Every structure is written in structure tokens, then in C-alpha cells.
Amino acid sequence: MFKKAKKFPLLVTTLAMTVVLAACGSGSDSTGSGNTDNTGTKLSGSILAVGSSALQPLVDQAGQDFMEVEGNEDITVQVQGGGSGTGLTQVADKQADIGNSDVFAEEKLDADQAKTLVDHQVAVVGMSAVANKEVGVTDLTQEQLVDIFTGKITNWKEVGGADQKIVIVNRPASSGTRATFEKYALGQSAPDLQGAIQEDSSGTVKKIITETPGAIGYLALSYLDDSITAIKYNGIEATVENIESGTYPVWAYEHMYTSGDPNEVVKAFLDYMLSDEIQDTYVVDLGYIPVKGMQVVRDAEGNITEK
Amino acid sequence: MSVANTDHAHKPRPKREKHYYEDWIGKIYTSICVVFLIVVIISIVFFVASKGLTTFVKDGVSPLEFFTSGNWNPTGDEPAYGALPFIVGSFTVTILAALIASPLALCAALFMTEIVPGKGKRILQPAIELLSGIPSVVYGFVGLTVIVPLIRSIFGGTGVGILAGCLVLSVMILPTITSIMADAITSLPGGLRESSYALGATRWQTITGVVIPTVLPALLTGVVLGMARAFGEALAVQMVIGNAPHVPHSLLESASTLTSVITLSMGNTASGSVHNNALWSMALVLLLMTFIFVLLVRLLERRNRV
Amino acid sequence: MKPKTVDRIATGVIVTFALAIVAILVGLLGFIIFRGIGHISWDFLTSKPQNLRAGGGIGPQLFNSIYLLILTLIITIPLGWGAGIYMAEYAKPGRITNMIRLVVEVLSSFPSIVIGLFGLLVLVNTFGFGFSLLSGALALAVFNLPLMVRTTEQAFRSVPKAQKEAGLALGLSKWKIITSILLPVALPAMITGTILAAGRIFGEAAALMFTAGMSSPPLDFTNWNPFSERSPLNPMRPAETLAVHIWKVNSEQLKPDAAEIAAGASAVLVIMVLLFNLFARWFGRFVYRRMTAAKRMD
């Protein structure tokens, strides 16, 4: 009897534990962590913001300041990266309180899911085509940009620059930055070209463009400096004034989505994000443009209206 | 045979009553540990497979297209999910990295075991272990700041691509391969070597004629395990390979691997979308490849035993 | 060519390549440490990072790396040693043992990104652990366990047969033999193996980005209550480790001195791994000496 029983417990426990695990897996529900124990005017609770890694430094910094504001000692703000897609999914599934995103939710989620989310636009990010310093071009028309990014033009001399092969430094197809650039600068989607470099992070994109002869790519305004050439778009420079007035079209909102209307704690934080304390300091420091300065408004379809 | 069989006489029978519980507690405890391992692996396979198969079952992507089409365009007007470029990229960097690292590793292993056994080991062993301790992020960082500009200045072009990827990987897998090879050669009975020398063979003749043929399966085990590591490495490769979703025409052209496209796009896509599911399918391919590598190792070990 | 000449040439080639490997290592370490050493200071090691401005350090990240390592070991040591003992002492050769061995081998060569994604799906979302040290430690345990099982099994198998037989002759139970005869002998090798395996945790980033998260909440280093939200010991808080921090700084940071911080953090990470390896060896030898000395006294 001793011998027969030997393998038995091993098998049974294995099976049992697997079943338990699978059962846990099927009931995939998790509660949002923003509980509002509202006692008087003092707020308490925790906020979890997940998503866009580009937006993370801003929200993280704002969150740390927010926790130091008087009366907020019992609030904790956690900010995670992970990408816009992760952020939107997590907030739609109520696993996070705020989903940070570089794009409108409609562009990532299906319509039903996107409808449940409430958009809070906290900043505007402008983008510019940038090139290696040696290419000898400082201005490109929309058409020329399209021809470059679709592979019709392959040498800088065709657009009046040096005799250098064009090296495209793109973003992956899933990137919000790329979606913005294609939608508002090119006006069409561009294919992934053979041999084009793709990098997800702005830091790496900048490094490669700085070092590689003939490289072209696009970056948020905050990354522009003397090591690369910012290229004018149809003769218009990517400046804060041009974006605010609506003359320069390549920009996008930074979104902080909540599932339904935010609870008290989350609302307090979102209000804080939009307060002058953040908008006039960190938003500007990070190269974003405060939403309040914008003279135009853009919806998810890309229609622009005067404010 | 003069040796008497005395075994049966002295075998002590532990008193079951006294030790029964103590023994069972030990047995149950260790069994639970093992069961935990099995549960972990079953659940990993289960979750990855259930996500990865959704692409084919629910989203209607044809597996044939997934494995044979070179057209990867998940965000286009007509989405296409051909993962061939990534599969080709993964295999190319892995095989090239193994081709670069294996001879180097063999030299290091021979140096440690055959040429200067005592001192060589004392110098190389810590060096090898330190190499394996360097984090992959740091490898990627060094690759991007040293190897990519170096390739650019020698061959022109952008510097990123398969070549940069496999150079970084070959340094990364060097320690794995070397330590397994060195262990294999050390475990060789000394008599074999001595009889070869006694027959007047030189050291090199001994190495090529006796040592390497005898431990060849074990040497190959090291190579396969190194390849398994290279196949699964994500961050370092993604930083230097360029990530274009196309089958490259040359080693200097931007290319992708399964791991690089997963790290690049997983966070940016919404969970549940076809694009995201296709990435899980690639994770499933990675998983299956791990099984294949391990089965290869087992096959080699079986030959080693014979 | 004479065999002697061939032998000399071949030896030359082998020695050259072996030295080349040492040169690669020295070059790599030199490069990393040389680039970063200028940035390392006491302040850099202890202060918290700045999101926007220049300056700031890696204090919380350093703490997180070490704390995560400890948490992982708390999870893996009982499980890994237990499973290793099972494999060495209880498993009978057969199909099931064979299968378990396969499981261990497969687990140890899983791509870390797959483990990370699995962690995100199961630990972070389904189990609701969130981005936390606990999720990270569990994900790391998956890497760590197979290595630990293997070293433990090897350590037990290398104990001389005679010692075990002596125990059997005394009529001791199997569990008693394992814990009081075999374990002390195997322990030094187990400890060295465990620490060496744990050293890899420092460098892991791909799996942790999806499980332990990429940010650290503000920590109150005077609060050591593990259940308090701002305590550094709270296992349910998100934690960015040093390796993840390097990845983040390299890719998305706008700080003017991001490159120097990445270089400094890389140097710290590499030095930490070096020290850890040295410590593992010393500690293994130390335990061995204690154990063997103790036995002689008996």
C-alpha cells in the first residue's frame, strides 16, 4: 500500500492547484484602488495612474507635489509607465484609476470601451520633423515629407540638401507619436519601409539621429536642441506660438482618462494637474504646451475648431 | 564469483511506527515544492497559449499567413499579421551569435582545462562569471554607444542591424557556453588523456582526436543552451537591431526579432486588440522554441551517455 | 607540417582567444566603470531621483533592488531547496521524475519577457497584486527556482554515500538523515549556488517592467512598518529597480544629465554584481569552514 500511494499525492496536488489557479484566472475582476474615505475636508485614498511613458515624468512629478499639498497627507499617487495601450486597457478594466495616453482612446480601444472613458486633456505636445545636422535641409513641404516617409525620395539632394542617403528613424506602428505625425504632418499613413530604423523611445531616436548621417525622424518639442536640426513644416517653425494659434498642425493632446466620472480624490488630482501650479511650471519645463493657452480645439476625428 | 552476496542480511528496517509521521511530513513538504514548480509551468503555458491562440481562433488570422507572410502591418487599412520577419530575425541573430561565440567559448574552455589547467582556470573562471553577471540593459547600452558607432565607421550605413545584434548577443552567451564546455571537458576521465599522450600524441592531437570527439554532445549542449538564451534576450537586442519589420537584405540593415517587437509594441497596444493578441502569439512561439531547445539538449545528453 | 608545429600554432590560437575574452571583459568593465565612476558619490547613492531637473540620485532604486532580492529569496529558498531535496532524495527514476526534470530545464530557459508578460496578466491583473514588489518577487522566483533546484540537487548528490549509509545503519528516518546528516554537508554549496543565482536578479529588467513597475512612490525611510503605505518595506508598493531605472533613463528621460545618470547607475549596478559574486564565494567558504570545524568538535 505504501508503494502504490507514492505517486498519488503528487498527482492530486498538481491537479488541485492547477484547477484553483485556473478558477482564479477566469474570474478576472479587480477593484479600483481609489477608495474615498471622506472625512470632513481631508481627502484620503490612493490613485494609480498607468500608461504613456512620455507623460510619466510629468504626472509623477505632479503627483509628488500633490501629496505634499496641505490636506493631502493621506493620499498616495502612484504613476506607472507601460505605454498608452496598457494605460487605456487598465483604466477601461478599472484596474487603474487614471489611464495616461498620447492618443485619443477611440484610436486604441473599440468604440464600446472608449465610450465608457472620460477624457481629461492635461497638456499639448508639439512635434517636429528633425534631421541630422549635416543634411543641409531646414524646410520641407508636406509633399516632400510624404515622399520621404513613403520611400519615393531616398536622397537628400532631391530636396535640395547634401548628397546623402536618407535614413528614416521611425516609431513602431503602435506608437502614439507616430500616429500623430502621420495624421497631422503627412496626412496619410506611411508603410514600414525596408531598412528603416524603428525605436520607441525619444531618447534613442534622438541619439541615432544625432549620430547617423542622413537620418530623419520626428520628436516632441522638448527634445529639440542644437545637436539636431529641427525642420520647418511648409515653412512654419514648430514654436509654441504657432501651435497655440493653430498655424502649425503637428501636435496632440496628452490625455488622462478615467473610467466614468472620477471620484473625489482622483478629481482633486486632475484639477491639480490643470491648475496654474502645474501648468505654468512643470508642463512648460517639460516642453509641453499648457492647454489653457490653445486658441484651437481638436476632436478625436482631427477636426479643428476655434476656441 | 567469490564475492558473497551479503546485502540481504544487514539491511536495516527503519521502524515505521516511530518515524512514520516525520518521514511523511518531509515527503509531503518536498513534494509540494515540486508540485508548485509544475503548477507554475502549467499555468504559464496555459495563459500564454490561451492569449496566443486567440489570434488564430477568434480573430481569424490564418496561421499560414502568420508563419509565412513577410507582411507585418497591423495598423494599416488592411491589417496584415505576417510574423515571418521576426521569426527570421530571431533565428538569424541566434545562429550567428552561436557561430561567433562557440569557437571563442571552446578556446576559453580548452585554455582553462587543457592548456593551463590550474592558473588558466583561476584567471578565466571569475572573468567568465563576471561576464554573465553584467545585466542585459548594460549590454544594450554599451552596444548602442560602442558597437553601433564602430560598425557605422567600418561599414558605413546606420550601424544598427543583425550584425550589431549578434555581436552583443555573442558576448552575452559566451559565459553560458564556456562554463558548460569547461565542465564537460573537466569531467573527462584523466586516463583517456594520459593514454593519448603516452602514445606520443601532441596536445593538439589529443584535443582534436580524444577530448573533443568524446565530449562533443556535451559541447553541443552548451551551444544549444547559449542559443536558447540568445533567442529569448529582449532589451539588449532591441536597442541595437533597428526594429524594421522586414526580412533584411543584409546584415547591416535594420531588422527585428520576436522579442524586440514584443518589447516595442506590447505596452502601446490595447489588451484584447488583434495587434496585441498577435504579440502574444509571438510570445507563444518563443515558448515553443524554448521547449524545442530543451528537447535538443536532452537528445544530445542521451547521446552523451551512450 | 609537423604535428609539433601544428600543436604550437593551435596552442597559440587558443591562448590568443582566451586572452581576447579576458580583454573583452576588462574592456567592458573598464568602459562601464570609467564612464560612470565620476558620477558616483554618496549623495548619488542615497538621494532620490529627480524627474525633471538635473541631479538626483538612485537611492530608492538601490534599496528596491536589494529588497526585491531579499523578498525573492524568502520565496524561493524554501521552495527551491525543498524541490531540490525531492529531486535528489525522493525522486525515483521514471517518467514522472523525467518530466519534472524537463519542467525545471524549460523553466530555467524561459525568455524573461515571457515571464514578465505572464506576471502582468496573472499576478498584476488577475490576482490583483498590482504593480508591486510582491508581483516582481514572484516573477523573479520563476527564474530563480530552477537554478536553485539544480544547485541543491547537485549539492545533495555530491555528499559521500557512506554518510547516508551510516545514518541508515543508525535506524534514523529518511527525513532525519536529510536534515541532520546530508543538509549540513550540502549547505555550503547550496548557499554559494543560491547567492550566485540571486545575483542575476540585480540585472533583470524585462520581467520587472511589467510586474514591479517603473516608478517608486515617495518612501519614508523612518517608517519601517511593512503594512504602512509609505514604508519602504511594504511589499505591495510598486518599486523600480536599478536595472529598470537605467532602461527608463536611457529611453524617455528629459533630465539634462540623463546620460551621466545612466552611466553612473550602470557602474553602480556592475560594481554591485561584482561585490555580490565575491561575497557569495567568501560566504560559501565561511559556512564550509564553520560546518566542518563543528563536525570535528563532535
mmCIF file of all heavy atoms in Angstrom, chain B residues 224-268:
data_model
loop_
_atom_site.group_PDB
_atom_site.id
_atom_site.type_symbol
_atom_site.label_atom_id
_atom_site.label_comp_id
_atom_site.label_asym_id
_atom_site.label_seq_id
_atom_site.Cartn_x
_atom_site.Cartn_y
_atom_site.Cartn_z
ATOM 1 N N VAL B 224 23.661 24.838 -27.547
ATOM 2 C CA VAL B 224 22.200 24.941 -27.629
ATOM 3 C C VAL B 224 21.649 25.797 -26.489
ATOM 4 O O VAL B 224 20.785 26.655 -26.697
ATOM 5 C CB VAL B 224 21.542 23.544 -27.607
ATOM 6 C CG1 VAL B 224 20.035 23.659 -27.531
ATOM 7 C CG2 VAL B 224 21.940 22.773 -28.843
ATOM 8 N N LEU B 225 22.191 25.619 -25.275
ATOM 9 C CA LEU B 225 21.697 26.424 -24.156
ATOM 10 C C LEU B 225 22.029 27.896 -24.366
ATOM 11 O O LEU B 225 21.237 28.779 -24.034
ATOM 12 C CB LEU B 225 22.279 25.918 -22.838
ATOM 13 C CG LEU B 225 21.642 24.626 -22.339
ATOM 14 C CD1 LEU B 225 22.334 24.138 -21.084
ATOM 15 C CD2 LEU B 225 20.143 24.825 -22.070
ATOM 16 N N GLY B 226 23.196 28.153 -24.953
ATOM 17 C CA GLY B 226 23.542 29.529 -25.292
ATOM 18 C C GLY B 226 22.568 30.099 -26.295
ATOM 19 O O GLY B 226 22.113 31.240 -26.184
ATOM 20 N N MET B 227 22.193 29.271 -27.278
ATOM 21 C CA MET B 227 21.240 29.733 -28.287
ATOM 22 C C MET B 227 19.884 30.022 -27.650
ATOM 23 O O MET B 227 19.211 30.993 -28.008
ATOM 24 C CB MET B 227 21.091 28.690 -29.394
ATOM 25 C CG MET B 227 22.276 28.658 -30.347
ATOM 26 S SD MET B 227 22.222 27.251 -31.469
ATOM 27 C CE MET B 227 20.942 27.774 -32.583
ATOM 28 N N ALA B 228 19.495 29.175 -26.707
ATOM 29 C CA ALA B 228 18.213 29.405 -26.041
ATOM 30 C C ALA B 228 18.215 30.763 -25.357
ATOM 31 O O ALA B 228 17.238 31.508 -25.407
ATOM 32 C CB ALA B 228 17.947 28.302 -25.017
ATOM 33 N N ARG B 229 19.351 31.104 -24.743
ATOM 34 C CA ARG B 229 19.432 32.397 -24.068
ATOM 35 C C ARG B 229 19.368 33.530 -25.092
ATOM 36 O O ARG B 229 18.676 34.524 -24.894
ATOM 37 C CB ARG B 229 20.728 32.450 -23.246
ATOM 38 C CG ARG B 229 20.934 33.768 -22.608
ATOM 39 C CD ARG B 229 21.577 33.741 -21.242
ATOM 40 N NE ARG B 229 21.448 35.084 -20.694
ATOM 41 C CZ ARG B 229 22.455 35.775 -20.186
ATOM 42 N NH1 ARG B 229 23.645 35.258 -20.126
ATOM 43 N NH2 ARG B 229 22.246 36.989 -19.750
ATOM 44 N N ALA B 230 20.086 33.365 -26.193
ATOM 45 C CA ALA B 230 20.101 34.409 -27.218
ATOM 46 C C ALA B 230 18.712 34.610 -27.802
ATOM 47 O O ALA B 230 18.270 35.725 -28.057
ATOM 48 C CB ALA B 230 21.085 34.039 -28.323
ATOM 49 N N PHE B 231 18.013 33.504 -28.003
ATOM 50 C CA PHE B 231 16.686 33.569 -28.619
ATOM 51 C C PHE B 231 15.713 34.367 -27.757
ATOM 52 O O PHE B 231 14.856 35.088 -28.243
ATOM 53 C CB PHE B 231 16.159 32.143 -28.811
ATOM 54 C CG PHE B 231 15.146 32.026 -29.916
ATOM 55 C CD1 PHE B 231 15.567 31.875 -31.219
ATOM 56 C CD2 PHE B 231 13.783 32.068 -29.658
ATOM 57 C CE1 PHE B 231 14.661 31.777 -32.257
ATOM 58 C CE2 PHE B 231 12.863 31.967 -30.693
ATOM 59 C CZ PHE B 231 13.313 31.817 -31.985
ATOM 60 N N GLY B 232 15.878 34.242 -26.438
ATOM 61 C CA GLY B 232 14.919 34.890 -25.550
ATOM 62 C C GLY B 232 15.328 36.277 -25.091
ATOM 63 O O GLY B 232 14.550 36.968 -24.458
ATOM 64 N N GLU B 233 16.533 36.710 -25.401
ATOM 65 C CA GLU B 233 17.014 38.000 -24.899
ATOM 66 C C GLU B 233 16.259 39.143 -25.575
ATOM 67 O O GLU B 233 16.096 39.177 -26.782
ATOM 68 C CB GLU B 233 18.516 38.110 -25.160
ATOM 69 C CG GLU B 233 19.112 39.444 -24.823
ATOM 70 C CD GLU B 233 18.729 39.947 -23.449
ATOM 71 O OE1 GLU B 233 18.728 39.155 -22.507
ATOM 72 O OE2 GLU B 233 18.404 41.140 -23.340
ATOM 73 N N ALA B 234 15.805 40.095 -24.782
ATOM 74 C CA ALA B 234 14.941 41.132 -25.344
ATOM 75 C C ALA B 234 15.577 42.522 -25.395
ATOM 76 O O ALA B 234 15.810 43.075 -26.471
ATOM 77 C CB ALA B 234 13.638 41.198 -24.555
ATOM 78 N N LEU B 235 15.895 43.085 -24.236
ATOM 79 C CA LEU B 235 16.222 44.509 -24.191
ATOM 80 C C LEU B 235 17.494 44.857 -24.951
ATOM 81 O O LEU B 235 17.522 45.816 -25.732
ATOM 82 C CB LEU B 235 16.344 44.966 -22.734
ATOM 83 C CG LEU B 235 15.075 44.799 -21.914
ATOM 84 C CD1 LEU B 235 15.276 45.323 -20.517
ATOM 85 C CD2 LEU B 235 13.927 45.527 -22.580
ATOM 86 N N ALA B 236 18.555 44.083 -24.732
ATOM 87 C CA ALA B 236 19.825 44.410 -25.365
ATOM 88 C C ALA B 236 19.678 44.388 -26.888
ATOM 89 O O ALA B 236 20.190 45.257 -27.587
ATOM 90 C CB ALA B 236 20.898 43.429 -24.914
ATOM 91 N N VAL B 237 18.972 43.377 -27.387
ATOM 92 C CA VAL B 237 18.809 43.254 -28.835
ATOM 93 C C VAL B 237 17.975 44.410 -29.377
ATOM 94 O O VAL B 237 18.308 45.020 -30.396
ATOM 95 C CB VAL B 237 18.127 41.916 -29.179
ATOM 96 C CG1 VAL B 237 17.941 41.786 -30.672
ATOM 97 C CG2 VAL B 237 18.946 40.773 -28.668
ATOM 98 N N GLN B 238 16.903 44.722 -28.683
ATOM 99 C CA GLN B 238 16.011 45.758 -29.181
ATOM 100 C C GLN B 238 16.725 47.098 -29.329
ATOM 101 O O GLN B 238 16.433 47.870 -30.230
ATOM 102 C CB GLN B 238 14.823 45.897 -28.234
ATOM 103 C CG GLN B 238 13.685 46.685 -28.827
ATOM 104 C CD GLN B 238 13.282 47.836 -27.947
ATOM 105 O OE1 GLN B 238 12.798 47.672 -26.854
ATOM 106 N NE2 GLN B 238 13.497 49.039 -28.451
ATOM 107 N N MET B 239 17.698 47.351 -28.450
ATOM 108 C CA MET B 239 18.383 48.634 -28.506
ATOM 109 C C MET B 239 19.286 48.774 -29.715
ATOM 110 O O MET B 239 19.567 49.883 -30.153
ATOM 111 C CB MET B 239 19.179 48.859 -27.211
ATOM 112 C CG MET B 239 18.284 49.172 -26.020
ATOM 113 S SD MET B 239 19.151 49.087 -24.466
ATOM 114 C CE MET B 239 19.634 50.784 -24.244
ATOM 115 N N VAL B 240 19.775 47.665 -30.275
ATOM 116 C CA VAL B 240 20.774 47.799 -31.337
ATOM 117 C C VAL B 240 20.344 47.240 -32.695
ATOM 118 O O VAL B 240 21.066 47.403 -33.671
ATOM 119 C CB VAL B 240 22.105 47.105 -30.941
ATOM 120 C CG1 VAL B 240 22.695 47.765 -29.710
ATOM 121 C CG2 VAL B 240 21.906 45.630 -30.713
ATOM 122 N N ILE B 241 19.196 46.605 -32.797
ATOM 123 C CA ILE B 241 18.920 45.890 -34.045
ATOM 124 C C ILE B 241 18.156 46.736 -35.061
ATOM 125 O O ILE B 241 18.150 46.443 -36.252
ATOM 126 C CB ILE B 241 18.207 44.548 -33.757
ATOM 127 C CG1 ILE B 241 18.342 43.619 -34.957
ATOM 128 C CG2 ILE B 241 16.760 44.759 -33.377
ATOM 129 C CD1 ILE B 241 17.979 42.201 -34.667
ATOM 130 N N GLY B 242 17.516 47.815 -34.647
ATOM 131 C CA GLY B 242 16.869 48.691 -35.617
ATOM 132 C C GLY B 242 15.370 48.510 -35.725
ATOM 133 O O GLY B 242 14.657 49.447 -36.016
ATOM 134 N N ASN B 243 14.893 47.275 -35.540
ATOM 135 C CA ASN B 243 13.451 47.009 -35.406
ATOM 136 C C ASN B 243 12.577 47.234 -36.626
ATOM 137 O O ASN B 243 11.382 47.469 -36.506
ATOM 138 C CB ASN B 243 12.855 47.816 -34.250
ATOM 139 C CG ASN B 243 13.602 47.596 -32.965
ATOM 140 O OD1 ASN B 243 13.839 46.468 -32.590
ATOM 141 N ND2 ASN B 243 14.002 48.661 -32.323
ATOM 142 N N ALA B 244 13.120 47.225 -37.845
ATOM 143 C CA ALA B 244 12.240 47.313 -39.015
ATOM 144 C C ALA B 244 11.540 45.973 -39.209
ATOM 145 O O ALA B 244 12.186 44.937 -39.167
ATOM 146 C CB ALA B 244 13.041 47.656 -40.255
ATOM 147 N N PRO B 245 10.218 45.979 -39.402
ATOM 148 C CA PRO B 245 9.508 44.701 -39.535
ATOM 149 C C PRO B 245 9.643 44.093 -40.927
ATOM 150 O O PRO B 245 8.655 43.845 -41.607
ATOM 151 C CB PRO B 245 8.065 45.092 -39.217
ATOM 152 C CG PRO B 245 7.966 46.518 -39.616
ATOM 153 C CD PRO B 245 9.327 47.120 -39.432
ATOM 154 N N HIS B 246 10.849 43.918 -41.391
ATOM 155 C CA HIS B 246 11.065 43.325 -42.710
ATOM 156 C C HIS B 246 12.187 42.307 -42.629
ATOM 157 O O HIS B 246 13.066 42.415 -41.784
ATOM 158 C CB HIS B 246 11.463 44.403 -43.723
ATOM 159 C CG HIS B 246 10.361 45.352 -44.042
ATOM 160 N ND1 HIS B 246 9.337 45.041 -44.885
ATOM 161 C CD2 HIS B 246 10.121 46.591 -43.602
ATOM 162 C CE1 HIS B 246 8.502 46.063 -44.958
ATOM 163 N NE2 HIS B 246 8.953 47.027 -44.168
ATOM 164 N N VAL B 247 12.153 41.343 -43.535
ATOM 165 C CA VAL B 247 13.278 40.426 -43.639
ATOM 166 C C VAL B 247 14.418 41.226 -44.259
ATOM 167 O O VAL B 247 14.266 41.764 -45.347
ATOM 168 C CB VAL B 247 12.926 39.221 -44.525
ATOM 169 C CG1 VAL B 247 14.131 38.302 -44.653
ATOM 170 C CG2 VAL B 247 11.737 38.465 -43.960
ATOM 171 N N PRO B 248 15.544 41.355 -43.542
ATOM 172 C CA PRO B 248 16.595 42.239 -44.056
ATOM 173 C C PRO B 248 17.331 41.637 -45.251
ATOM 174 O O PRO B 248 17.394 40.424 -45.407
ATOM 175 C CB PRO B 248 17.531 42.370 -42.856
ATOM 176 C CG PRO B 248 17.328 41.131 -42.077
ATOM 177 C CD PRO B 248 15.908 40.721 -42.278
ATOM 178 N N HIS B 249 17.877 42.525 -46.119
ATOM 179 C CA HIS B 249 18.645 42.064 -47.270
ATOM 180 C C HIS B 249 20.101 41.848 -46.920
ATOM 181 O O HIS B 249 20.825 41.163 -47.625
ATOM 182 C CB HIS B 249 18.555 43.093 -48.404
ATOM 183 C CG HIS B 249 17.153 43.272 -48.916
ATOM 184 N ND1 HIS B 249 16.335 42.214 -49.187
ATOM 185 C CD2 HIS B 249 16.450 44.378 -49.207
ATOM 186 C CE1 HIS B 249 15.161 42.668 -49.621
ATOM 187 N NE2 HIS B 249 15.203 43.986 -49.630
ATOM 188 N N SER B 250 20.557 42.524 -45.858
ATOM 189 C CA SER B 250 21.958 42.342 -45.483
ATOM 190 C C SER B 250 22.070 42.398 -43.966
ATOM 191 O O SER B 250 21.125 42.754 -43.270
ATOM 192 C CB SER B 250 22.834 43.426 -46.108
ATOM 193 O OG SER B 250 22.751 44.601 -45.329
ATOM 194 N N LEU B 251 23.253 42.051 -43.478
ATOM 195 C CA LEU B 251 23.465 42.031 -42.037
ATOM 196 C C LEU B 251 23.504 43.432 -41.450
ATOM 197 O O LEU B 251 23.427 43.611 -40.250
ATOM 198 C CB LEU B 251 24.784 41.321 -41.721
ATOM 199 C CG LEU B 251 24.831 39.839 -42.036
ATOM 200 C CD1 LEU B 251 26.154 39.255 -41.580
ATOM 201 C CD2 LEU B 251 23.696 39.103 -41.352
ATOM 202 N N LEU B 252 23.677 44.423 -42.339
ATOM 203 C CA LEU B 252 23.811 45.790 -41.844
ATOM 204 C C LEU B 252 22.497 46.545 -41.896
ATOM 205 O O LEU B 252 22.439 47.737 -41.663
ATOM 206 C CB LEU B 252 24.858 46.536 -42.674
ATOM 207 C CG LEU B 252 26.258 45.945 -42.586
ATOM 208 C CD1 LEU B 252 27.169 46.545 -43.609
ATOM 209 C CD2 LEU B 252 26.811 46.159 -41.191
ATOM 210 N N GLU B 253 21.423 45.833 -42.265
ATOM 211 C CA GLU B 253 20.160 46.522 -42.413
ATOM 212 C C GLU B 253 19.300 46.295 -41.177
ATOM 213 O O GLU B 253 19.338 45.235 -40.563
ATOM 214 C CB GLU B 253 19.460 45.967 -43.650
ATOM 215 C CG GLU B 253 18.355 46.842 -44.161
ATOM 216 C CD GLU B 253 17.725 46.219 -45.396
ATOM 217 O OE1 GLU B 253 18.377 46.224 -46.454
ATOM 218 O OE2 GLU B 253 16.602 45.716 -45.289
ATOM 219 N N SER B 254 18.536 47.329 -40.843
ATOM 220 C CA SER B 254 17.645 47.255 -39.691
ATOM 221 C C SER B 254 16.709 46.048 -39.791
ATOM 222 O O SER B 254 16.121 45.789 -40.836
ATOM 223 C CB SER B 254 16.856 48.560 -39.658
ATOM 224 O OG SER B 254 15.757 48.438 -38.811
ATOM 225 N N ALA B 255 16.593 45.287 -38.703
ATOM 226 C CA ALA B 255 15.744 44.091 -38.697
ATOM 227 C C ALA B 255 15.092 43.946 -37.325
ATOM 228 O O ALA B 255 15.332 44.754 -36.439
ATOM 229 C CB ALA B 255 16.589 42.864 -39.015
ATOM 230 N N SER B 256 14.262 42.937 -37.172
ATOM 231 C CA SER B 256 13.555 42.727 -35.904
ATOM 232 C C SER B 256 13.689 41.295 -35.433
ATOM 233 O O SER B 256 13.932 40.400 -36.226
ATOM 234 C CB SER B 256 12.067 43.002 -36.066
ATOM 235 O OG SER B 256 11.830 44.342 -36.257
ATOM 236 N N THR B 257 13.484 41.102 -34.147
ATOM 237 C CA THR B 257 13.328 39.748 -33.633
ATOM 238 C C THR B 257 11.982 39.651 -32.921
ATOM 239 O O THR B 257 11.335 40.672 -32.690
ATOM 240 C CB THR B 257 14.428 39.389 -32.622
ATOM 241 O OG1 THR B 257 14.285 40.245 -31.497
ATOM 242 C CG2 THR B 257 15.811 39.572 -33.208
ATOM 243 N N LEU B 258 11.601 38.440 -32.576
ATOM 244 C CA LEU B 258 10.331 38.244 -31.864
ATOM 245 C C LEU B 258 10.331 39.045 -30.569
ATOM 246 O O LEU B 258 9.362 39.733 -30.241
ATOM 247 C CB LEU B 258 10.143 36.759 -31.555
ATOM 248 C CG LEU B 258 9.872 35.838 -32.748
ATOM 249 C CD1 LEU B 258 10.059 34.387 -32.342
ATOM 250 C CD2 LEU B 258 8.470 36.056 -33.281
ATOM 251 N N THR B 259 11.439 38.954 -29.828
ATOM 252 C CA THR B 259 11.476 39.655 -28.541
ATOM 253 C C THR B 259 11.469 41.164 -28.734
ATOM 254 O O THR B 259 10.842 41.885 -27.978
ATOM 255 C CB THR B 259 12.728 39.266 -27.748
ATOM 256 O OG1 THR B 259 13.843 39.392 -28.614
ATOM 257 C CG2 THR B 259 12.648 37.882 -27.216
ATOM 258 N N SER B 260 12.157 41.649 -29.763
ATOM 259 C CA SER B 260 12.237 43.096 -29.912
ATOM 260 C C SER B 260 10.869 43.675 -30.269
ATOM 261 O O SER B 260 10.494 44.730 -29.778
ATOM 262 C CB SER B 260 13.295 43.485 -30.951
ATOM 263 O OG SER B 260 12.813 43.386 -32.262
ATOM 264 N N VAL B 261 10.110 43.001 -31.114
ATOM 265 C CA VAL B 261 8.796 43.547 -31.462
ATOM 266 C C VAL B 261 7.842 43.465 -30.271
ATOM 267 O O VAL B 261 7.010 44.347 -30.072
ATOM 268 C CB VAL B 261 8.219 42.893 -32.731
ATOM 269 C CG1 VAL B 261 7.798 41.473 -32.479
ATOM 270 C CG2 VAL B 261 7.050 43.691 -33.254
ATOM 271 N N ILE B 262 8.018 42.447 -29.434
ATOM 272 C CA ILE B 262 7.150 42.357 -28.252
ATOM 273 C C ILE B 262 7.431 43.508 -27.290
ATOM 274 O O ILE B 262 6.532 44.205 -26.846
ATOM 275 C CB ILE B 262 7.316 41.000 -27.534
ATOM 276 C CG1 ILE B 262 6.812 39.868 -28.420
ATOM 277 C CG2 ILE B 262 6.545 40.982 -26.226
ATOM 278 C CD1 ILE B 262 7.043 38.493 -27.849
ATOM 279 N N THR B 263 8.714 43.744 -26.978
ATOM 280 C CA THR B 263 9.028 44.842 -26.050
ATOM 281 C C THR B 263 8.614 46.181 -26.632
ATOM 282 O O THR B 263 8.198 47.080 -25.924
ATOM 283 C CB THR B 263 10.532 44.955 -25.720
ATOM 284 O OG1 THR B 263 11.269 44.587 -26.868
ATOM 285 C CG2 THR B 263 10.912 44.087 -24.573
ATOM 286 N N LEU B 264 8.739 46.305 -27.944
ATOM 287 C CA LEU B 264 8.468 47.578 -28.585
ATOM 288 C C LEU B 264 6.981 47.910 -28.587
ATOM 289 O O LEU B 264 6.591 49.061 -28.422
ATOM 290 C CB LEU B 264 8.977 47.490 -30.029
ATOM 291 C CG LEU B 264 9.450 48.743 -30.709
ATOM 292 C CD1 LEU B 264 10.531 49.392 -29.888
ATOM 293 C CD2 LEU B 264 9.972 48.396 -32.091
ATOM 294 N N SER B 265 6.133 46.921 -28.794
ATOM 295 C CA SER B 265 4.729 47.217 -29.052
ATOM 296 C C SER B 265 3.769 46.777 -27.959
ATOM 297 O O SER B 265 2.627 47.224 -27.947
ATOM 298 C CB SER B 265 4.291 46.552 -30.364
ATOM 299 O OG SER B 265 5.171 46.875 -31.388
ATOM 300 N N MET B 266 4.213 45.895 -27.058
ATOM 301 C CA MET B 266 3.250 45.339 -26.103
ATOM 302 C C MET B 266 2.547 46.439 -25.309
ATOM 303 O O MET B 266 1.333 46.435 -25.163
ATOM 304 C CB MET B 266 3.980 44.365 -25.174
ATOM 305 C CG MET B 266 3.081 43.514 -24.321
ATOM 306 S SD MET B 266 1.791 42.642 -25.242
ATOM 307 C CE MET B 266 2.391 40.986 -25.381
ATOM 308 N N GLY B 267 3.322 47.421 -24.822
ATOM 309 C CA GLY B 267 2.712 48.443 -23.978
ATOM 310 C C GLY B 267 1.842 49.424 -24.739
ATOM 311 O O GLY B 267 0.937 50.032 -24.179
ATOM 312 N N ASN B 268 2.115 49.566 -26.024
ATOM 313 C CA ASN B 268 1.393 50.579 -26.794
ATOM 314 C C ASN B 268 0.082 50.081 -27.369
ATOM 315 O O ASN B 268 -0.689 50.865 -27.906
ATOM 316 C CB ASN B 268 2.272 51.075 -27.944
ATOM 317 C CG ASN B 268 3.339 52.007 -27.452
ATOM 318 O OD1 ASN B 268 3.135 52.735 -26.490
ATOM 319 N ND2 ASN B 268 4.486 51.981 -28.088
#
